[in-house]
Amino acid sequence: MVVLAQRPGYYGRFGGRFVAETLVPALDELSAAFEQIVRGESFQQEWRSLLASYVGRPTPLGQAHHLAREVDPNGAFLSHLWLKREDLCHTGAHKINNALGQVLLARAMGKSRVIAETGAGQHGVATATACALFGLPCEVYMGAEDVARQAPNVGRMHLLGAKVVPVESGSRTLKDAMNEALRDWVTNVRTTYYCIGSAAGPHPYPEIVATLQSVIGEEARAQCLARGGLPDAAIACVGGGSNAIGLFRAFVQDEGVALFGVEAAGEGVATGKHAATLGAGRVGVLHGSKSYLLCDADGQIQEAHSISAGLDYPGVGPEHAWLKETGRALYLSATDDEALQAVRRVTRTEGILPALETAHAFARIEDVARGLAEDLGRPVSILVGVSGRGDKDLATLLRRLS
Amino acid sequence: MTRLARALSRRKALIAYLCVGDPSVEESVALAHACIRAGADVLELGVPFSDPSADGPAIARASQRAIARGGGLDATLRVAEAIRADEPDAGIVLFGYYNPLFVRGERRAVREAAEAGVDALLVVDLPLEESGPLRAAAAEAGMGVVPLLAPTSRDERVVAVRRASAGGGMPFVYYVSLTGVTGSADVDARAAGGRAAALRAELGLPVVVGFGIDSREKALETARAADGVVAGTALVRAIESGADPAARLAAVEKLVRELRAGVDEA
Ligand SMILES: Cc1ncc(COP(=O)(O)O)c(C=O)c1O
């Protein structure tokens, strides 16, 4: 199976560049810079060397024996459970892979200021960190609701010297932060680099972010091969889709590796209070690209709901829409409660406190393994993208799990 | 000559933007009539969108209020129809974001707009490269699609608009006066007007200027060289600060008359 994007900036019929005219030349400039700089040798050398010395890459591939035995005591359907440990990255999540790369790109493009949007605050922290490292001023837009529920990350951004701008409009979460970042960018486009945190937004952002996050899957694939072979499935949580696409891309051509994304079902897809964009949304245009999104029949974007701020987004990156449409990846969902139970389970059995976002992926391991084992007639091995650690979620966890 | 071309050719044009549904769908009809009475040649009927990322705080607030009061594509089309019934000559442009049109289906949206008496569509987040399907649908219905150009648009984008305009269906060009969102204060009206005139010479189409035109002076400065001016945020603010329907109507009429005087003096 060959899966290639047909039109530049498009993944099948998804993607594109739906932005105000003012931004089109900036996106052209960014596309050109991406091709010349990011794909160029000196950028790759500097970025790779920082990934090693600063981020702590390669991140380990660990085996979760105890969790596997808790899920499947007799080894009837789950033979191996592999964890790709992005939670061990500097700043606590995969977001730094992308932020560091984009801030390097901003510097190479001669931009004097960096802005970002953030939901859980992980991308905000990652961008603020990269900006601190390179001495660039940084402003992070964050929904007022998320400022309240991710307080530790707000404090971290302040310490890193970034300005955090609470966004009071709309649902006061990630989508509104992105609107506000776009408004800033359209106003200051000549001097400002907009560092988008997920594999979403107008072309070339989905491609930039996926390229930078692909380090996750490249490493994981090599690590799996070195430890005995490719997994039967890879599974990751999906907000905008950056950690998932970063994991998936390396395996897309491996037909024996099934790909599963897990979205946030919030209080349950049937309640309408969820963020299962691919599972329950429709095709539309939001934040510059055509993809699945949550909107009503009049085209108004609906609010997403999830206990995890990083998945609380009514859109999703266009490449996932296409992987869904081609059937190459399957998208499932997990509720708030299932994610909470998964946090408890993973923490107790493995001594790893996963982010609430990541916990959504853990929550579907059993179903995925059972289903796949039935299809294949043998126990299966599963690779989980552990996108981040849960320290930032402590307040929520203590409140909801006590 | 299309109705819109006529509306733009009578005199330097004044174009009034309203966010339909703010403060209510019914009141939008009255406010639109008031705009025309006071001297607007063309109405831009704004379809409120939940995520207006190209708009400043005033229009973003208005959009939220409008959606809460039942505003949206259907309501905007109803308002267009009501205005058209009384105003056979006014230009009516449907102004908004792409998703409501895309979700409706472009062909159906264009057909419904044509039936409601709309002359053209202006979609702020649909650059020329992505607008092929909408322009094709619009051409079938005899409806125009208005392209935007901005201070950041380099020559190749102007050339692209000129090429696309060869097929017809571009009643005018909307020049965005500044790099920013709607309602920004620091517009250089004279420079924007000058750029509009240069674009007009290059494109052979009327060029109007919008973003930041909020006073008689700015309307005058801009319209000296441009074919027309668009007032949006200033009207939305006038509506926002009016305590009751009569006050809002009076504030809108007064502002439109001032802007008209500025444009006429140019
Ligand atoms: C730990 C973690 N995982 C996942 C996500 C979701 O983003 P994405 O789908 O882009 O990986 C976030 C977003 O903040 C996050 O912090």
Side-chain angles (χ1 to χ4, degrees):
Chain A
M1 179 190 43
V2 180
V3 186
L4 293 171
Q6 293 109 3
R7 273 193 281 169
Y10 271 85
Y11 307 89
R13 64 186 168 118
F14 304 106
R17 195 181 260 183
F18 298 86
V19 295
E21 168 67 22
T22 308
L23 293 179
V24 173
L27 292 168
D28 281 337
E29 182 197 7
L30 183 60
S31 297
F34 172 60
E35 294 301 331
Q36 283 156 21
I37 299 168
V38 175
R39 301 207 197 272
E41 192 142 320
S42 71
F43 176 97
Q44 285 293 328
Q45 259 173 21
E46 187 172 9
W47 179 58
R48 299 268 168 193
S49 128
L50 280 168
L51 288 181
S53 65
Y54 190 73
V55 176
R57 306 207 70 92
T59 56
L61 182 78
Q63 203 177 342
H65 296 285
H66 304 291
L67 178 58
R69 288 298 69 84
E70 170 130 345
V71 168
D72 176 18
N74 305 316
F77 56 88
L78 180 60
S79 63
H80 297 84
L81 188 56
W82 297 104
L83 307 183
K84 179 57 175 165
R85 300 287 307 276
E86 295 302 298
D87 58 312
L88 295 177
C89 287
H90 177 45
T91 70
H94 69 291
K95 297 284 181 186
I96 189 77
N97 304 324
N98 167 53
L100 203 54
Q102 286 201 57
V103 171
L104 272 175
L105 176 60
R107 198 187 54 165
M109 289 173 74
K111 301 290 178 185
S112 58
R113 173 175 176 264
V114 173
I115 59 170
E117 85 295 333
T118 196
Q122 287 302 121
H123 174 60
V125 166
T127 307
T129 297
C131 285
L133 183 63
F134 292 112
L136 283 168
C138 175
E139 262 176 67
V140 180
Y141 291 92
M142 188 169 188
E145 167 116 352
D146 295 335
V147 169
R149 63 178 160 171
Q150 304 284 329
N153 276 343
V154 176
R156 286 166 83 189
M157 286 185 270
H158 285 147
L159 279 174
L160 289 159
K163 184 172 161 204
V164 180
V165 185
V167 176
E168 297 285 352
S169 57
S171 59
R172 305 160 83 233
T173 60
L174 182 53
K175 88 174 169 72
D176 310 285
M178 195 143 176
N179 290 332
E180 212 53 43
L182 282 165
R183 290 179 184 123
D184 181 318
W185 199 36
V186 87
T187 306
N188 302 297
V189 60
R190 293 190 173 95
T191 56
T192 296
Y193 185 93
Y194 179 19
C195 180
I196 292 186
S198 195
H203 172 67
Y205 281 105
E207 194 57 31
I208 294 178
V209 177
T211 301
L212 295 170
Q213 292 293 6
S214 289
V215 65
I216 302 171
E218 285 160 15
E219 284 177 11
R221 190 173 184 280
Q223 288 165 323
C224 284
L225 287 173
R227 306 273 288 267
L230 294 176
D232 295 305
I235 181 165
C237 67
V238 177
S242 69
N243 90 88
I245 206 68
L247 184 68
F248 290 178
R249 269 198 174 182
F251 296 102
V252 161
Q253 306 288 342
D254 297 318
E255 280 182 49
V257 182
L259 304 174
F260 294 91
V262 184
E263 299 186 296
E267 295 176 19
V269 172
T271 67
K273 295 196 152 196
H274 63 83
T277 312
L278 289 161
R282 63 171 97 205
V283 178
V285 172
L286 175 66
H287 294 150
S289 67
K290 188 182 289 179
S291 183
Y292 279 80
L293 46 85
L294 301 178
C295 77
D296 64 20
D298 214 24
Q300 308 295 348
I301 309 304
Q302 289 166 323
E303 290 179 17
H305 291 269
S306 171
I307 192 171
S308 77
L311 303 185
D312 203 350
Y313 180 60
V316 66
E319 195 170 353
H320 286 293
W322 187 51
L323 289 174
K324 170 190 159 83
E325 191 159 88
T326 58
R328 180 62 188 92
L330 291 176
Y331 294 87
L332 315 169
S333 63
T335 64
D336 290 350
D337 288 337
E338 289 175 318
L340 284 163
Q341 291 319 314
V343 169
R344 193 201 295 275
R345 198 178 217 190
V346 176
T347 310
R348 295 246 171 114
T349 54
E350 294 294 332
I352 294 170
L353 173 60
L356 269 169
E357 290 80 9
T358 313
H360 287 74
F362 278 112
R364 288 280 78 83
I365 287 173
E366 182 169 343
D367 301 343
V368 164
R370 275 185 194 279
L372 213 51
E374 199 160 301
D375 290 349
L376 297 176
R378 59 167 172 78
V380 295
S381 60
I382 291 194
L383 167 65
V384 186
V386 185
S387 59
R389 56 179 179 244
D391 307 37
K392 69 185 174 59
D393 299 316
L394 225 49
T396 306
L397 293 172
L398 294 177
R399 197 173 63 248
R400 293 287 297 263
L401 285 176
S402 59
Chain B
M1 197 185 249
T2 64
R3 174 166 44 211
L4 202 47
R6 278 198 307 278
L8 287 163
S9 64
R10 280 194 289 270
R11 52 184 175 177
K12 295 248 172 177
L14 176 60
I15 301 179
Y17 166 93
L18 294 173
C19 179
V20 174
D22 175 40
S24 72
V25 177
E26 299 71 47
E27 212 175 313
S28 289
V29 178
L31 291 166
H33 282 306
C35 288
I36 294 173
R37 249 192 336 267
D41 305 293
V42 177
L43 292 170
E44 277 183 2
L45 296 182
V47 182
F49 182 51
S50 52
D51 292 76
S53 57
D55 283 297
I59 291 182
R61 280 196 305 272
S63 304
Q64 277 188 344
R65 286 193 299 264
I67 291 168
R69 302 297 300 269
L73 184 53
D74 284 326
T76 309
L77 293 174
R78 280 204 309 279
V79 168
E81 202 169 357
I83 297 163
R84 179 54 77 218
D86 297 327
E87 306 284 357
D89 297 328
I92 299 182
V93 176
L94 209 68
F95 185 104
Y97 291 79
Y98 188 43
N99 196 53
L101 301 176
F102 179 82
V103 167
R104 179 66 49 99
E106 282 148 318
R107 297 181 71 168
R108 185 173 151 206
V110 165
R111 196 176 62 239
E112 290 177 356
E115 282 163 11
V118 170
D119 300 305
L121 306 171
L122 195 164
V123 189
V124 286
D125 57 348
L126 192 68
L128 196 64
E129 295 82 344
E130 305 286 1
S131 69
L134 186 70
R135 282 189 289 128
E140 273 176 38
M143 163 103 37
V145 176
V146 178
L148 293 111
L149 286 168
T152 53
S153 310
R154 286 183 286 260
D155 290 348
E156 70 262 22
R157 303 204 50 79
V158 180
V159 170
V161 168
R162 190 174 66 217
R163 287 221 187 89
S165 73
M170 280 190 191
F172 64 95
V173 173
Y174 189 123
Y175 180 65
V176 177
S177 65
L178 45 79
T179 56
V181 291
T182 52
S184 307
D186 47 355
V187 59
D188 181 343
R190 187 182 299 265
R195 180 72 183 130
L199 287 171
R200 188 210 163 92
E202 197 166 338
L203 295 169
L205 292 169
V207 179
V208 306
V209 176
F211 281 38
I213 314 291
D214 60 358
S215 66
R216 182 183 160 283
E217 293 70 34
K218 280 190 191 152
L220 165 65
E221 287 271 289
T222 312
R224 272 195 220 281
D227 295 301
V229 302
V230 186
T233 298
L235 285 166
V236 167
R237 287 206 182 106
I239 292 166
E240 191 171 43
S241 54
D244 55 57
R248 291 189 279 270
L249 215 56
V252 163
E253 276 209 57
K254 176 164 175 286
L255 179 59
V256 174
R257 278 189 211 292
E258 275 171 37
L259 296 165
R260 179 79 254 168
V263 173
D264 283 346
E265 202 182 314

